Amino acid sequence: MDINLVVYMQNQLQSTPTDFYRYMYEKIDWQQRMFGLVGPRGVGKTMLFLQYIKAHQTEERMFYVSADNTYFSNHTLVELADQFSIEGGEHLFIDEVHKYPNWSKELKQIYDTHPDMKVAFTGSSVLDITKGESDLSRRSPIYRMQGLSFREYLAMFHHVNTQVLPIEQIISGEPFSIDNMPHPISAFKNYLQRGYYPIAAESLFEVKLNQVINLTMETDIPQYANMNASTGRKLKKLLGIIAMSVPFKPVMDKISKMINVSRNDLADYLLYMEDAGMIAQLRDATNGIMGLGKVEKVYLDNPNIAYLLGEEASNIGNIRETFFLNQMRVNNVVVSSKVSDFEINGLTFEVGGKSKKQKQIANIDKAFVVKDDIEYGSGNIVPIWMFGLNY
């Protein structure tokens, strides 16, 4: 293999920590012939690959490469795979494959010509393998990863480990406390502001999160959707409008006029922003199929983005709802409620502060009040931080 690529991989592995693994690590079937891992910028996809390589490189001959490496200015992915095969390579990891032209066509060729080689790749969360030039959907399952749960944040930043709680245990009313952290509220408040992204462990977090947002809105989405720079700027304006809302209830005609885009294009733009990890759309359950209901509300994707973009105008009620939707969507289908904030599998949830009353859900079976600023729950009252332990 090219010596510069080898040196780059070794340098990356040397700086890879192995004391904490993301929730997706155990969900991936690493021995599949080909699979993809997609997610928003900054959530730790690269780290996950490097951790697996570091832990298993004595068992298989593995190689890691980033698709934006200058090596590919005069070489192809197919050439790399061919050389890796000649040298006895078994497991190829390709990072940021979306930055490589004709990625889908070449991945298909590698799959077809090297049946004994396993290939894994990461890509932008706006990546849609079913729209590639070659059909990879039958060959390559896709895993979608999001940022840190509150549980993962505690492990990564506070070295406090606690179990994953299924929703049934969260709402059971049974007493629960986190070992070595009897008072989690302070850590929870910090998580809301700067705990969703692993890059919070680095300096200048706010600057780097701004870079993530700008690159996503100005580069990733426009490139994927073949937009011009002007349309990209309109998307950023739309993101700003959502950031200042509590939460944002989409009125398509009004929004299209505000940012000067076609009403027919607006739904697609919102979907691109959702796929890219910038917003979350809360839908109703009219179609009974996840993702196909009418959009009732639009939130920013996670509390960190909400605090950064909302600045002094950040509304704590909106932050709480954003957190609940963000954390519970990983393992549950979350839809809007006709009488409250959210519904999950017939369970109704009203989210609020410490003084939130039960009036709104008084006559509803299987309804719960999700409260901020409380350490323990009772009956149908549940501390909001507990929902951060669901993955």
Side-chain angles (χ1 to χ4, degrees):
M1 302 302 292
D2 181 277
I3 187 60
N4 292 320
L5 293 181
V6 173
V7 170
Y8 176 76
M9 179 182 74
Q10 293 303 326
N11 287 338
Q12 293 293 98
L13 290 174
Q14 287 177 11
S15 61
T16 298
T18 56
D19 57 340
F20 167 74
Y21 292 84
R22 293 298 317 281
Y23 77 100
M24 189 58 71
Y25 191 90
E26 298 296 333
K27 293 180 177 290
I28 293 174
D29 179 359
W30 295 93
Q31 295 302 308
Q32 294 172 98
R33 277 197 59 195
M34 180 176 285
F35 72 86
L37 176 64
V38 302
R41 286 177 176 266
V43 297
K45 302 183 296 295
T46 299
M47 184 68 68
L48 204 71
F49 272 18
L50 291 170
Q51 286 179 324
Y52 184 82
I53 296 170
K54 193 168 185 175
H56 296 86
Q57 57 186 337
T58 60
E59 304 165 16
E60 295 182 79
R61 180 163 171 75
M62 300 179 173
F63 198 73
Y64 165 87
V65 66
S66 179
D68 63 352
N69 193 287
T70 55
Y71 169 86
F72 294 109
S73 60
N74 53 10
H75 296 85
T76 66
L77 283 173
V78 170
E79 289 173 350
L80 177 76
D82 289 345
Q83 184 61 36
F84 188 44
S85 178
I86 290 171
E87 297 182 14
E90 299 174 275
H91 210 154
L92 179 61
F93 294 81
I94 305 169
D95 202 10
E96 298 196 288
V97 74
H98 60 282
K99 295 184 178 180
Y100 181 90
N102 300 318
W103 56 269
S104 61
K105 185 176 181 179
E106 294 202 28
L107 285 182
K108 178 182 179 297
Q109 185 173 339
I110 293 170
Y111 183 95
D112 292 341
T113 57
H114 297 289
D116 296 329
M117 183 183 298
K118 294 185 283 289
V119 179
F121 60 90
T122 71
S124 166
S125 55
V126 294
L127 188 70
D128 186 348
I129 64 170
T130 64
K131 292 184 179 180
E133 292 181 18
S134 301
D135 182 14
L136 285 174
S137 59
R138 291 180 292 106
R139 298 171 173 84
S140 178
I142 293 294
Y143 296 94
R144 299 185 180 275
M145 186 167 105
Q146 74 168 36
L148 298 170
S149 65
F150 178 51
R151 183 191 68 84
E152 292 181 302
Y153 162 79
L154 292 177
M156 183 175 180
F157 290 87
H158 294 273
H159 306 290
V160 172
N161 295 307
T162 190
Q163 67 197 82
V164 173
L165 297 186
I167 187 171
E168 294 80 10
Q169 186 173 351
I170 294 173
I171 64 174
S172 67
E174 297 176 2
F176 180 84
S177 60
I178 299 173
D179 292 342
N180 301 318
M181 185 170 280
H183 307 294
I185 292 178
S186 177
F188 177 69
K189 299 295 185 184
N190 191 62
Y191 167 83
L192 293 178
Q193 296 194 41
R194 50 182 299 121
Y196 183 71
Y197 294 90
I199 55 175
E202 306 170 12
S203 59
L204 302 175
F205 167 68
E206 287 78 10
V207 172
K208 292 179 179 178
L209 182 53
N210 256 319
Q211 291 174 344
V212 166
I213 295 170
N214 290 335
L215 287 169
T216 300
M217 301 300 295
E218 296 174 1
T219 302
D220 294 347
I221 296 176
Q223 283 183 356
Y224 169 76
N226 295 318
M227 296 175 179
N228 56 37
S230 175
T231 304
R233 287 192 291 271
K234 290 176 181 177
L235 290 189
K236 284 196 67 177
K237 183 177 180 181
L238 176 57
L239 188 66
I241 292 171
I242 295 170
M244 296 300 172
S245 303
V246 196
F248 185 67
K249 297 184 178 181
V251 180
M252 294 304 190
D253 288 331
K254 182 178 179 180
I255 304 169
S256 61
K257 291 177 182 178
M258 290 175 69
I259 63 174
N260 193 26
V261 299
S262 166
R263 187 188 187 282
N264 295 331
D265 292 333
L266 191 56
D268 286 340
Y269 293 167
L270 289 169
L271 187 59
Y272 296 150
M273 292 166 68
E274 183 175 39
D275 286 343
M278 292 291 102
I279 64 171
Q281 299 187 86
L282 180 66
R283 297 169 173 85
D284 64 20
T286 51
N287 285 302
I289 301 175
M290 183 178 180
L292 295 182
K294 175 187 174 185
V295 175
E296 294 290 341
K297 297 178 183 178
V298 180
Y299 296 88
L300 291 173
D301 180 76
N302 61 78
N304 291 185
I305 292 181
Y307 269 114
L308 183 71
L309 297 183
E311 298 177 347
E312 298 301 323
S314 297
N315 179 277
I316 188 58
N318 186 34
I319 296 290
R320 292 169 182 144
E321 292 182 32
T322 298
F323 167 81
F324 183 92
L325 175 58
N326 173 272
Q327 298 287 283
M328 297 308 292
R329 69 188 180 191
V330 172
N331 292 323
N332 310 275
V333 177
V334 185
V335 297
S336 63
S337 169
K338 295 180 180 179
V339 295
S340 189
D341 292 321
F342 303 101
E343 185 175 314
I344 300 174
N345 297 328
L347 306 173
T348 300
F349 297 91
E350 176 72 12
V351 180
K354 187 175 183 178
S355 60
K356 188 72 177 181
K357 304 299 182 184
Q358 303 238 10
K359 182 178 179 181
Q360 198 161 343
I361 60 171
N363 299 316
I364 304 174
D365 293 332
K366 298 180 180 179
F368 302 87
V369 180
V370 180
K371 290 191 176 186
D372 197 2
D373 294 313
I374 63 171
E375 292 183 349
Y376 303 100
S378 176
N380 71 333
I381 297 174
V382 188
I384 192 171
W385 61 263
M386 286 187 68
F387 292 89
L389 309 182
N390 192 232
Y391 73 91

